[in-house]
């Protein structure tokens, strides 16, 4: 085989090496490092550099280089290169501008009308000059590298935009939650006895939903519903809300309108979560159909409604009210248990007990319920009580 | 065809480092060859024998690695000997003109004899 043929074969295999390096699944810096080795290996160059053009800063950055002085490379002006032929290798010779970097050969990298960067080479080990054949091969290589660099920069632009969008979304979520909290504070401020009630119901509901295996998106939805469930109370007079003596039937009916008002208000908002307005509307319904406003029963009540209803009642029981003293935690749990099947759902109660038990045992990194409970509670008593209920509710009832 | 993961072993024979690359010298894992030689050069060794008995094939990336070793040795006026090369390797080095920058011997012992005779 003649030397020319061998050289031609070597060049073809170098192009194959380049293709493999570019299309590999390696990280970008590994790809470009391989590409760089292919070039220096193919031309036996002891000096080489790949520069990429930063459009916004209008300057060339050195991606990789060997043998050059970095300061020399920094002086290469992109404008000077843009007037040269696209992906056409040019012998620098004595060109004063390009000679600065000490390179023998320079290729401006382009993809269509986009200037991407430059490739510099120098110092062939075999000393001989760059041949026409070398320049032709370099032209093919330059086209490939330009595309690879351009793809990477497009990808980086996209990743940057995605990150920016994500940041904006997070900011909006933050603002959104801030607004919700302000709303909840307004609701809770109306009723001196229910301070932070909405906040706690949101926390408790989210904890139960999470334990039930809901997605984080849906957990956020019930958290919002928890915050807004009593927003309808804003339409009730302060005197009535803070009344110490028992309500008259008319007053009770007035108070009971709040869940429908909550629904009317929230249904005006286009939430990114489903069923927020349904959950707030029906948080006073009961399984036996004796709740309000629609006397819905059993299957008509979604899991979300069942969770909110239990969380709301538990917080109501463990909070001081104008007309009654607050219950201690074990008493409230016992009360919830007493109302299972008539008012509260067994499955939700089981999950509530499990999550509270886990919080007491320190199994959850960020407890949502425990921090709000009476600090004087005897946790071992509560844990024993929860343990009993968990066993009882986990055991399938034998059919009759 | 399953390519063998490239790796390098070495030993010191007097003041000569003998390097044994193993596998196809065709990707970034070949950098270990440059690093291995660099370690000996860093210790003041100027004579290196690369025994290619376990490396039949090389591509442009591998050539680039070898180029680096040749340059590193040239900078310290050192000597590189290549031995046990396959026909493909020898032909490739010859065609590229690399052969002029190295001493080629059929087997490792010949290279060691040459280097120890102090002719390098
Ligand atoms: Fe309510
Ligand atoms: Fe409530």
């Amino acid at each position: 085989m003649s030397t020319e043929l061998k050289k031609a074969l070597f060049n073809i295999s170098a192009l194959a090496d380049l293709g493999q390096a570019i299309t590999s699944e390696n990280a970008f810096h590994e790809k470009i490092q391989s590409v760089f080795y292919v070039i220096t290996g193919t031309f036996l160059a002891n000096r080489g550099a790949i520069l990429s053009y930063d459009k916004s800063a209008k300057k060339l950055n050195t991606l990789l280089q060997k043998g050059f002085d970095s300061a020399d490379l920094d002086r290469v002006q992109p404008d000077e290169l843009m007037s040269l032929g696209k992906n056409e290798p040019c012998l620098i010779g004595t060109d004063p501008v390009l000679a600065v970097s000490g390179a023998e050969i320079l290729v401006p990298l382009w993809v269509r009308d986009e200037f991407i960067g430059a490739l510099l080479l120098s110092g062939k080990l075999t000393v001989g000059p760059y041949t026409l054949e070398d320049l032709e091969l370099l032209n093919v290589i330059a086209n490939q590298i330009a595309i690879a660099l351009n793809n990477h920069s497009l990808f980086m632009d996209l990743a940057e935009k995605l990150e920016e969008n994500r940041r904006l979304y997070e900011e909006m979520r933050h603002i959104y939650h801030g607004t919700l909290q302000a709303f909840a504070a307004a609701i809770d401020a109306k009723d001196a006895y229910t301070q932070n009630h909405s906040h706690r119901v949101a926390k408790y509901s989210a904890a139960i939903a999470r334990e039930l295996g809901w997605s984080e998106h849906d957990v956020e939805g019930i958290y919002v519903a928890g915050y807004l469930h009593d927003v309808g109370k804003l339409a009730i007079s302060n005197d009535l809300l803070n009344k110490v003596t028992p309500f008259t039937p008319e007053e009770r009916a007035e108070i009971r309108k709040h869940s429908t008002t909550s629904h009317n208000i929230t249904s005006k908002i286009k939430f990114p979560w489903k069923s927020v307005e349904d959950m707030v509307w029906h948080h006073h319904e009961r399984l036996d159909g004796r709740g309000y406003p629609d006397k819905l029963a059993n299957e008509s009540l979604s899991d979300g409604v069942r969770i909110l209803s239990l969380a709301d009642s538990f917080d109501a029981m463990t909070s001081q009210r104008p007309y009654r003293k607050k219950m201690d935690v074990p008493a409230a749990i016992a009360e919830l248990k007493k109302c299972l099947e008539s008012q509260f759902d067994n499955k939700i109660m089981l999950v509530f007990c499990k999550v509270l038990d886990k919080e007491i045992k320190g199994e959850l990194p960020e407890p949502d319920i425990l921090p709000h409970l009476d600090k004087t509670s005897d946790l071992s008593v509560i844990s024993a009580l929860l343990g009993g209920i968990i066993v009882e509710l986990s055991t399938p009832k034998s059919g009759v | 065809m399953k390519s063998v993961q490239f790796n390098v072993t070495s030993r010191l024979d007097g003041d000569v480092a003998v390097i044994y690359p193993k596998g196809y010298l065709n990707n970034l894992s070949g950098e270990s060859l440059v690093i291995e030689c660099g370690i000996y050069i860093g210790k003041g060794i100027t004579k290196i024998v690369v025994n290619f008995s376990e490396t039949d094939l090389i591509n442009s990336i591998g050539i680039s690695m070898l180029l680096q070793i040749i340059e590193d040795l040239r900078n310290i006026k050192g000597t590189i000997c290549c031995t046990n090369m396959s026909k493909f390797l020898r032909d490739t080095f010859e065609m590229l003109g690399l052969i002029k920058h190295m001493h080629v011997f059929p087997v490792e012992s010949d290279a060691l004899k040459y280097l120890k005779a102090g002719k390098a």
Side-chain angles (χ1 to χ4, degrees), chain A residues 197 201 229-230 233 258 283-284 312:
Chain A
H197 168 68
V201 171
H229 75 285
D230 279 338
K233 282 189 178 171
H258 82 273
H283 72 272
H284 285 294
D312 183 37

Side-chain angles (χ1 to χ4, degrees), chain A residues 54-296:
Chain A
D54 180 342
K55 262 183 287 180
S56 48
K58 290 193 183 340
K59 68 185 280 278
L60 286 158
N61 295 323
T62 305
L63 275 185
L64 268 176
Q65 75 108 341
K66 167 188 159 183
F68 286 112
D69 184 335
S70 309
D72 279 347
L73 291 177
D74 288 345
R75 278 198 290 276
V76 178
Q77 289 301 316
D79 294 345
E80 306 285 350
L81 311 190
M82 287 184 205
S83 55
L84 303 170
K86 294 177 180 176
N87 298 325
E88 293 286 344
C90 69
L91 291 162
I92 291 169
T94 52
D95 185 310
V97 178
L98 304 172
V100 166
S101 61
E104 278 177 59
I105 206 156
L106 181 143
V107 198
L109 303 173
W110 290 78
V111 172
R112 290 181 296 274
D113 292 330
E114 192 99 24
F115 178 64
I116 306 296
L119 176 66
L120 303 174
L121 282 181
S122 190
K124 239 180 163 183
L125 181 79
T126 45
V127 185
Y130 281 88
T131 61
L132 192 61
E133 203 180 53
D134 286 338
L135 299 188
E136 277 169 6
L137 181 63
L138 204 49
N139 174 241
V140 179
I141 290 176
N143 273 298
Q144 301 251 357
I145 298 175
I147 291 169
L149 288 181
N150 190 44
N151 284 349
H152 177 67
S153 100
L154 288 178
F155 175 78
M156 293 308 283
D157 284 353
L158 204 62
E160 217 169 82
K161 285 204 178 85
L162 265 177
E163 175 56 26
E164 172 72 3
N165 275 353
R166 198 197 57 74
R167 207 180 49 72
L168 280 174
Y169 173 74
E170 273 308 312
E171 236 166 58
M172 273 174 60
R173 251 183 95 221
H174 204 70
I175 294 168
Y176 197 85
H177 279 276
T179 313
L180 280 178
Q181 282 169 19
F183 243 113
I187 305 159
D188 295 344
K190 274 197 75 114
D191 182 343
Y193 282 92
T194 59
Q195 267 195 357
N196 287 329
H197 168 68
S198 308
H199 173 71
R200 288 191 298 271
V201 171
K203 285 268 185 189
Y204 298 174
S205 302
I208 298 170
R210 192 174 288 118
E211 181 70 20
L212 200 56
W214 283 25
S215 69
E216 270 312 303
H217 177 80
D218 290 342
V219 168
E220 195 169 5
I222 200 167
Y223 184 76
V224 169
Y227 257 117
L228 294 178
H229 75 285
D230 279 338
V231 70
K233 282 189 178 171
L234 286 173
I236 301 171
S237 77
N238 286 1
D239 292 345
L240 179 54
L241 271 182
N242 294 302
K243 197 176 168 216
V244 181
T245 53
F247 296 127
T248 65
E250 292 75 28
E251 286 168 342
R252 190 174 304 279
E254 183 63 22
I255 294 270
R256 287 184 166 195
K257 281 183 192 163
H258 82 273
S259 51
T260 301
T261 313
S262 293
H263 168 257
N264 292 343
I265 293 171
T266 53
S267 59
K268 304 271 189 303
I269 305 168
K270 200 174 171 336
F271 291 106
W273 309 279
K274 57 178 193 288
S275 334
V276 170
E277 54 273 33
D278 175 64
M279 287 188 270
V280 302
W281 198 1
H282 296 118
H283 72 272
H284 285 294
E285 301 287 1
R286 299 164 48 110
L287 285 176
D288 60 10
R290 291 173 54 229
Y292 64 87
D294 293 324
K295 296 189 167 49
L296 299 181

Side-chain angles (χ1 to χ4, degrees), chain B residues 1 10 14 18 29 31 53 83 92 102 110-111 116:
Chain B
M1 191 178 72
S10 66
V18 189
S29 63
E31 284 176 337
S53 58
T83 74
T92 305
M102 56 177 66
D110 291 349
K116 284 177 183 168

